[in-house]
Tab-separated table of all heavy atoms in Angstrom:
chain	number	residue	atom	x	y	z
A	8	SER	N	-2.176	6.773	4.983
A	8	SER	CA	-0.978	7.301	5.650
A	8	SER	C	-1.331	8.380	6.653
A	8	SER	O	-0.760	8.435	7.761
A	8	SER	CB	0.003	7.866	4.621
A	8	SER	OG	0.498	6.841	3.807
A	31	GLY	N	-14.041	-2.403	14.126
A	31	GLY	CA	-13.208	-3.574	14.345
A	31	GLY	C	-11.734	-3.295	14.095
A	31	GLY	O	-11.380	-2.539	13.178
A	43	VAL	N	-8.655	-1.604	2.005
A	43	VAL	CA	-10.070	-1.334	1.773
A	43	VAL	C	-10.298	0.162	1.696
A	43	VAL	O	-9.574	0.955	2.311
A	43	VAL	CB	-10.993	-1.938	2.866
A	43	VAL	CG1	-10.902	-3.447	2.921
A	43	VAL	CG2	-10.710	-1.337	4.216
A	57	LEU	N	-10.016	9.883	16.620
A	57	LEU	CA	-8.682	10.477	16.557
A	57	LEU	C	-8.669	11.963	16.877
A	57	LEU	O	-7.627	12.603	16.829
A	57	LEU	CB	-8.078	10.247	15.155
A	57	LEU	CG	-7.790	8.788	14.795
A	57	LEU	CD1	-7.373	8.659	13.330
A	57	LEU	CD2	-6.729	8.193	15.706
A	70	GLU	N	-5.879	18.000	-4.420
A	70	GLU	CA	-4.926	18.825	-5.173
A	70	GLU	C	-4.194	17.940	-6.185
A	70	GLU	O	-3.837	16.800	-5.900
A	70	GLU	CB	-3.926	19.476	-4.227
A	70	GLU	CG	-4.578	20.501	-3.322
A	70	GLU	CD	-3.608	21.085	-2.311
A	70	GLU	OE1	-2.390	20.791	-2.376
A	70	GLU	OE2	-4.066	21.808	-1.429
A	72	PRO	N	-1.155	18.637	-8.704
A	72	PRO	CA	-0.171	19.403	-9.461
A	72	PRO	C	0.101	18.747	-10.819
A	72	PRO	O	0.004	17.519	-10.954
A	72	PRO	CB	1.075	19.361	-8.575
A	72	PRO	CG	0.877	18.198	-7.669
A	72	PRO	CD	-0.596	18.000	-7.534
A	83	LYS	N	9.292	7.879	0.152
A	83	LYS	CA	8.623	7.661	1.423
A	83	LYS	C	8.406	6.164	1.605
A	83	LYS	O	7.779	5.517	0.783
A	83	LYS	CB	7.275	8.401	1.377
A	83	LYS	CG	6.497	8.447	2.624
A	83	LYS	CD	5.271	9.325	2.361
A	83	LYS	CE	4.378	9.423	3.553
A	83	LYS	NZ	3.207	10.236	3.250
A	89	ARG	N	3.152	-5.864	8.271
A	89	ARG	CA	4.407	-6.453	8.736
A	89	ARG	C	4.236	-7.881	9.259
A	89	ARG	O	5.167	-8.660	9.269
A	89	ARG	CB	5.042	-5.590	9.826
A	89	ARG	CG	5.795	-4.419	9.249
A	89	ARG	CD	6.994	-4.878	8.474
A	89	ARG	NE	7.598	-3.769	7.779
A	89	ARG	CZ	8.341	-3.869	6.724
A	89	ARG	NH1	8.582	-5.042	6.202
A	89	ARG	NH2	8.852	-2.818	6.153
A	91	GLN	N	2.459	-10.070	7.754
A	91	GLN	CA	2.291	-10.921	6.575
A	91	GLN	C	3.417	-10.762	5.546
A	91	GLN	O	3.466	-11.518	4.583
A	91	GLN	CB	0.967	-10.587	5.878
A	91	GLN	CG	-0.253	-11.054	6.645
A	91	GLN	CD	-0.286	-12.565	6.710
A	91	GLN	OE1	-0.046	-13.254	5.739
A	91	GLN	NE2	-0.597	-13.095	7.889
A	99	LEU	N	6.835	6.350	-4.802
A	99	LEU	CA	7.529	7.172	-5.791
A	99	LEU	C	6.725	8.389	-6.228
A	99	LEU	O	7.260	9.234	-6.951
A	99	LEU	CB	7.877	6.328	-7.028
A	99	LEU	CG	8.725	5.087	-6.776
A	99	LEU	CD1	8.931	4.331	-8.065
A	99	LEU	CD2	10.052	5.473	-6.151
A	103	ARG	N	2.017	13.838	-5.333
A	103	ARG	CA	0.786	14.135	-6.055
A	103	ARG	C	-0.336	13.365	-5.375
A	103	ARG	O	-0.602	12.194	-5.694
A	103	ARG	CB	0.907	13.747	-7.520
A	103	ARG	CG	-0.346	14.097	-8.299
A	103	ARG	CD	-0.152	13.867	-9.769
A	103	ARG	NE	-1.425	13.966	-10.448
A	103	ARG	CZ	-1.553	14.324	-11.695
A	103	ARG	NH1	-0.477	14.628	-12.416
A	103	ARG	NH2	-2.726	14.383	-12.244
A	104	PRO	N	-1.039	13.987	-4.440
A	104	PRO	CA	-2.032	13.284	-3.641
A	104	PRO	C	-3.187	12.660	-4.441
A	104	PRO	O	-3.573	11.544	-4.176
A	104	PRO	CB	-2.555	14.337	-2.674
A	104	PRO	CG	-1.503	15.372	-2.628
A	104	PRO	CD	-0.849	15.353	-3.972
A	108	MET	N	-2.584	6.300	-10.260
A	108	MET	CA	-1.611	5.207	-10.154
A	108	MET	C	-0.778	5.394	-8.887
A	108	MET	O	-0.586	6.508	-8.445
A	108	MET	CB	-0.644	5.215	-11.350
A	108	MET	CG	-1.271	5.004	-12.679
A	108	MET	SD	-0.032	4.957	-13.995
A	108	MET	CE	0.671	6.583	-13.905
A	111	PHE	N	5.613	2.101	-6.800
A	111	PHE	CA	6.485	1.801	-5.667
A	111	PHE	C	7.703	1.048	-6.168
A	111	PHE	O	7.621	0.277	-7.125
A	111	PHE	CB	5.780	0.881	-4.654
A	111	PHE	CG	4.626	1.491	-3.940
A	111	PHE	CD1	3.339	1.383	-4.467
A	111	PHE	CD2	4.792	2.150	-2.745
A	111	PHE	CE1	2.258	1.925	-3.805
A	111	PHE	CE2	3.707	2.690	-2.068
A	111	PHE	CZ	2.436	2.586	-2.602
A	119	GLY	N	12.496	-13.668	1.629
A	119	GLY	CA	11.359	-12.908	2.141
A	119	GLY	C	10.239	-12.751	1.129
A	119	GLY	O	10.246	-13.342	0.063
A	122	ARG	N	3.677	-13.695	2.755
A	122	ARG	CA	3.453	-15.070	3.170
A	122	ARG	C	2.165	-15.669	2.617
A	122	ARG	O	2.095	-16.865	2.361
A	122	ARG	CB	3.480	-15.166	4.683
A	122	ARG	CG	4.900	-14.959	5.221
A	122	ARG	CD	4.999	-15.016	6.710
A	122	ARG	NE	5.072	-13.740	7.419
A	122	ARG	CZ	5.998	-12.810	7.261
A	122	ARG	NH1	6.913	-12.939	6.353
A	122	ARG	NH2	5.993	-11.708	7.969
A	129	GLY	N	-8.542	-3.191	-8.284
A	129	GLY	CA	-7.728	-2.560	-9.304
A	129	GLY	C	-6.885	-3.511	-10.143
A	129	GLY	O	-7.126	-4.712	-10.199
A	143	GLU	N	3.152	-15.637	-7.424
A	143	GLU	CA	1.998	-16.553	-7.360
A	143	GLU	C	0.748	-15.801	-7.766
A	143	GLU	O	0.441	-14.738	-7.218
A	143	GLU	CB	1.842	-17.117	-5.946
A	143	GLU	CG	0.696	-18.096	-5.821
A	143	GLU	CD	0.530	-18.641	-4.412
A	143	GLU	OE1	1.453	-18.484	-3.585
A	143	GLU	OE2	-0.526	-19.222	-4.142
A	158	TYR	N	1.473	-7.939	-15.793
A	158	TYR	CA	0.355	-6.991	-15.678
A	158	TYR	C	-0.863	-7.853	-15.416
A	158	TYR	O	-1.107	-8.806	-16.155
A	158	TYR	CB	0.202	-6.201	-16.969
A	158	TYR	CG	-0.843	-5.096	-16.862
A	158	TYR	CD1	-0.450	-3.786	-16.655
A	158	TYR	CD2	-2.201	-5.368	-16.948
A	158	TYR	CE1	-1.381	-2.769	-16.562
A	158	TYR	CE2	-3.140	-4.365	-16.840
A	158	TYR	CZ	-2.737	-3.062	-16.638
A	158	TYR	OH	-3.656	-2.060	-16.531
A	160	ASP	N	-4.941	-8.485	-13.214
A	160	ASP	CA	-6.133	-8.104	-12.452
A	160	ASP	C	-5.817	-8.405	-10.985
A	160	ASP	O	-5.622	-9.563	-10.597
A	160	ASP	CB	-7.320	-8.931	-12.938
A	160	ASP	CG	-8.600	-8.676	-12.160
A	160	ASP	OD1	-8.558	-8.004	-11.117
A	160	ASP	OD2	-9.642	-9.189	-12.603
A	161	ALA	N	-5.761	-7.372	-10.171
A	161	ALA	CA	-5.345	-7.547	-8.769
A	161	ALA	C	-6.451	-8.104	-7.887
A	161	ALA	O	-6.209	-8.404	-6.712
A	161	ALA	CB	-4.855	-6.199	-8.216
A	165	HIS	N	-2.929	-13.062	-5.205
A	165	HIS	CA	-1.567	-12.998	-5.738
A	165	HIS	C	-0.601	-12.606	-4.637
A	165	HIS	O	-0.986	-12.058	-3.617
A	165	HIS	CB	-1.487	-11.979	-6.879
A	165	HIS	CG	-1.805	-10.571	-6.474
A	165	HIS	ND1	-3.108	-10.119	-6.329
A	165	HIS	CD2	-1.006	-9.529	-6.169
A	165	HIS	CE1	-3.085	-8.847	-5.958
A	165	HIS	NE2	-1.819	-8.468	-5.849
A	173	LYS	N	19.671	-13.720	-2.697
A	173	LYS	CA	20.007	-12.299	-2.806
A	173	LYS	C	18.727	-11.463	-2.831
A	173	LYS	O	17.688	-11.918	-3.314
A	173	LYS	CB	20.797	-12.037	-4.106
A	173	LYS	CG	22.150	-12.696	-4.130
A	173	LYS	CD	22.885	-12.354	-5.392
A	173	LYS	CE	24.259	-13.016	-5.405
A	173	LYS	NZ	24.973	-12.764	-6.639
A	174	GLU	N	18.851	-10.233	-2.360
A	174	GLU	CA	17.705	-9.310	-2.368
A	174	GLU	C	17.206	-9.093	-3.806
A	174	GLU	O	18.005	-9.087	-4.731
A	174	GLU	CB	18.116	-7.972	-1.764
A	174	GLU	CG	16.990	-6.953	-1.764
A	174	GLU	CD	17.408	-5.581	-1.242
A	174	GLU	OE1	18.131	-4.876	-1.966
A	174	GLU	OE2	17.004	-5.251	-0.129
Side-chain angles (χ1 to χ4, degrees):
S8 294
V43 298
L57 294 173
E70 293 175 7
K83 187 175 178 182
R89 279 294 172 203
Q91 288 295 316
L99 302 177
R103 182 173 169 153
M108 298 183 297
F111 293 90
R122 289 179 259 301
E143 181 180 346
Y158 187 100
D160 176 351
H165 62 280
K173 295 182 180 177
E174 179 183 73

